[in-house]
Every structure is written in structure tokens, then in C-alpha cells.
């Protein structure tokens, strides 16, 4: 309840600032429409926005699932296969230096204007934070736990399943949170390059027709969708990794009140 109230207050504050900027600068509606104009576009084009939002959401979810699976698998391979670590890790790092805008046209050329190219773009953006975070967690298992497991005759496989992976799950959860936050980027960039549906496609065509209020309405829907997706994934990760405690907030709650 408190979190919802905070979100509502933040949203109200942003709307007030937005309207104040429009009023003070006297910006024309085709440059910066005010919140009432965007709200009218949301209500007037609700069916169109929902239809395109469904396409973008499907691309994001597919990219998130496939990217997370690929990232987790890559981290396991890099952590436990030394040749793969020596050869693949530099390649993974170098791949992040290539701008996504440079890759998007190639993916559209190879995979077409359908959903596949957008999902592939989302996967390329998502898998690296998951790989990096999960690999870091796998490589930082408590040495005392590993020594105890070896002294009890545990095989390398059992050490992986019962020690390394559970110990690395909090780090992997952090990578998944980052991946969830950036997942919409891949889908929207792919839609900008070439698509027939999606919020990115709608924003591009609305901008070309000077329907700036509709473009902002699509942006608002995309932002709301991204927030809901992030907090949903965050909640699921907290339930899946209950031993990952938030000590920062616990410490603040336990601090004595200042006189």
C-alpha cells in the first residue's frame, strides 16, 4: 500500500513538472503536448495502443526468457570450462562495444520484419547482464563451503548443483533485474528499424504524421508496461531467492531516531 502511494505521488509530481514546463516555455502542442492532450490521446486511441502494446510485450517477454536462459547457460559454460572462459569471455565483452543501432538493420535483413528480429535484438541486450552477474556469482562461492564439500567427497557436479548455483542465485537475480529494465530497448529499437506493429512502430509513424500527442501516449504506455514488468520480476525473484535479504533497508529501520 505504501509503495503504491509513493508511486502515485511520484507520478503526480512528474505530471505537475511536465505541465509547468509546458506552461512556462509556451511550447506548441506539436513540440511538447501537455498531460491533458496526452491523456486525451490515451483515451481516444486506447484500442490502437493496446493492440501495439501486446506486440511489444510479447517481444519483450520472449526476449527476456530466451536471453536469461542463454545468459545463464553461457555463465555456466564460462565458469566451468576453462577453454571457453579463455576464448569466449573476451568475445562477450567485445560484443557489447557494438552499438545496438548498428546490429538492428542486420537482424531485420536476416530475420525479416516480423517478431523474430525484435526478439533477437532483445536477447542480445539481455543476455550479457545475466551472463556477467551469474558468472560473477559462480566464481565467488565461499571457499570454506567448497573445502567442506570436497572433504565430504562431493563431486564437481554436486558442488555445482548444491553449492555454486544456490550461492550465485542472488547475483543472477541482480542481473535479471538489470535485464528486465533494458529489455524494452531491444524490442523498440528493432521496431524503429523495421516493423509492422508494436509501440516503437506506432511512435515512429505518429511522429511522421505530427501526431505528437499519440507518440507521447505510446511512450507513456511503454513506460508503464516496463515498470509493471520490472516490479513483477523483482517480486518473483524475491520469492525465488528468499535468503537474499535487503540489509540496507533493515539497517535504516533499526537506526535510532535522531533527537
Amino acid at each position: 500500500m505504501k509503495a503504491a502511494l509513493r508511486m502515485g505521488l511520484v507520478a503526480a509530481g512528474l505530471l505537475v513538472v511536465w505541465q509547468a514546463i509546458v506552461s512556462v516555455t509556451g511550447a506548441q502542442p506539436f513540440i511538447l503536448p501537455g498531460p491533458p492532450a496526452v491523456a486525451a490521446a490515451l483515451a481516444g486511441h486506447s484500442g490502437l495502443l493496446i493492440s501495439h502494446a501486446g506486440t511489444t510485450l510479447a517481444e519483450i517477454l520472449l526476449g527476456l526468457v530466451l536471453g536469461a536462459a542463454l545468459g545463464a547457460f553461457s555463465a555456466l559454460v564460462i565458469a566451468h570450462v576453462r577453454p571457453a572462459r579463455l576464448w569466449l569471455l573476451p568475445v562477450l565483452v567485445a560484443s557489447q562495444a557494438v552499438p545496438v543501432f548498428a546490429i538492428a538493420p542486420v537482424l531485420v535483413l536476416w530475420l525479416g520484419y516480423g517478431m523474430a528480429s525484435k526478439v533477437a535484438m532483445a536477447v542480445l541486450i539481455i543476455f550479457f547482464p545475466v551472463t556477467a552477474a551469474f558468472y560473477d556469482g559462480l566464481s565467488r562461492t565461499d571457499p570454506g563451503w567448497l573445502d567442506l564439500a570436497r572433504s565430504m567427497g562431493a563431486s564437481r557436479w554436486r558442488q555445482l548443483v548444491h553449492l555454486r548455483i544456490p550461492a550465485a542465485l542472488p547475483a543472477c537475480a541482480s542481473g535479471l533485474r538489470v535485464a528486465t529494465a533494458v529489455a524494452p530497448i531491444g524490442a523498440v529499437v528493432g521496431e524503429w528499424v523495421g516493423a509492422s506493429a508494436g509501440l516503437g512502430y506506432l511512435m515512429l509513424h505518429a511522429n511522421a504524421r505530427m501526431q505528437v500527442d499519440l507518440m507521447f501516449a505510446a511512450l507513456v504506455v511503454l513506460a508503464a508496461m516496463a515498470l509493471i514488468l520490472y516490479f513483477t520480476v523483482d517480486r518473483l525473484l524475491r520469492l525465488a531467492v528468499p535468503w537474499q535479504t535487503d540489509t540496507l533497508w533493515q539497517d535504516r529501520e533499526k537506526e535510532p531516531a535522531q533527537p
Side-chain angles (χ1 to χ4, degrees):
M1 188 64 182
K2 291 182 179 180
L5 179 60
R6 284 195 297 267
M7 290 292 294
L9 291 175
V10 170
L14 290 175
L15 289 174
V16 169
V17 172
W18 181 359
Q19 183 59 53
I21 292 174
V22 173
S23 300
V24 171
T25 61
Q28 297 298 318
F30 62 87
I31 296 177
L32 180 62
V38 176
L42 282 169
H45 299 88
S46 58
L48 181 65
L49 289 166
I50 291 173
S51 175
H52 286 283
T55 300
T56 301
L57 181 60
E59 294 166 356
I60 293 172
L61 291 177
L62 283 173
L64 188 60
V65 171
L66 295 176
L70 179 61
F73 177 75
S74 300
L76 289 170
V77 172
I78 293 172
H80 291 277
V81 181
R82 181 175 175 80
R85 181 162 62 252
L86 296 176
W87 291 95
L88 293 181
L89 190 58
V91 174
L92 292 175
V93 175
S95 67
Q96 300 306 298
V98 180
V100 293
F101 283 98
I103 301 175
V106 178
L107 291 177
V108 172
L109 179 65
W110 289 347
L111 302 176
Y113 287 90
M115 187 178 293
S117 58
K118 287 69 181 175
V119 173
M121 177 61 66
V123 168
L124 288 176
I125 292 178
I126 290 166
F127 94 99
F128 183 77
V130 177
T131 302
F134 196 25
Y135 170 71
D136 187 64
L138 290 170
S139 62
R140 295 180 184 275
T141 308
D142 191 332
W145 297 354
L146 296 175
D147 290 339
L148 178 61
R150 294 189 192 101
S151 67
M152 299 179 67
S155 64
R156 192 178 180 188
W157 171 254
R158 289 185 177 275
Q159 293 176 36
L160 173 66
V161 173
H162 296 289
L163 285 180
R164 289 192 180 274
I165 291 180
L169 285 180
C172 184
S174 298
L176 283 170
R177 291 185 179 94
V178 174
T180 304
V182 301
I185 296 175
V188 172
V189 168
E191 290 172 357
W192 283 346
V193 173
S196 57
L199 290 174
Y201 165 84
L202 181 61
M203 283 189 285
L204 197 65
H205 281 258
N207 184 47
R209 295 183 176 90
M210 296 300 293
Q211 295 176 306
V212 184
D213 54 348
L214 178 59
M215 184 182 70
F216 271 80
L219 185 61
V220 169
V221 172
L222 179 64
M225 191 167 61
L227 284 172
I228 293 172
L229 181 62
Y230 176 83
F231 285 112
T232 300
V233 171
D234 178 68
R235 179 59 179 168
L236 292 175
L237 289 173
R238 289 179 183 275
L239 294 174
V241 191
W243 59 89
Q244 184 184 25
T245 56
D246 194 342
T247 57
L248 177 64
W249 290 105
Q250 288 180 357
D251 291 342
R252 289 183 178 179
E253 290 174 356
K254 294 179 181 179
E255 287 178 358
Q258 296 296 327

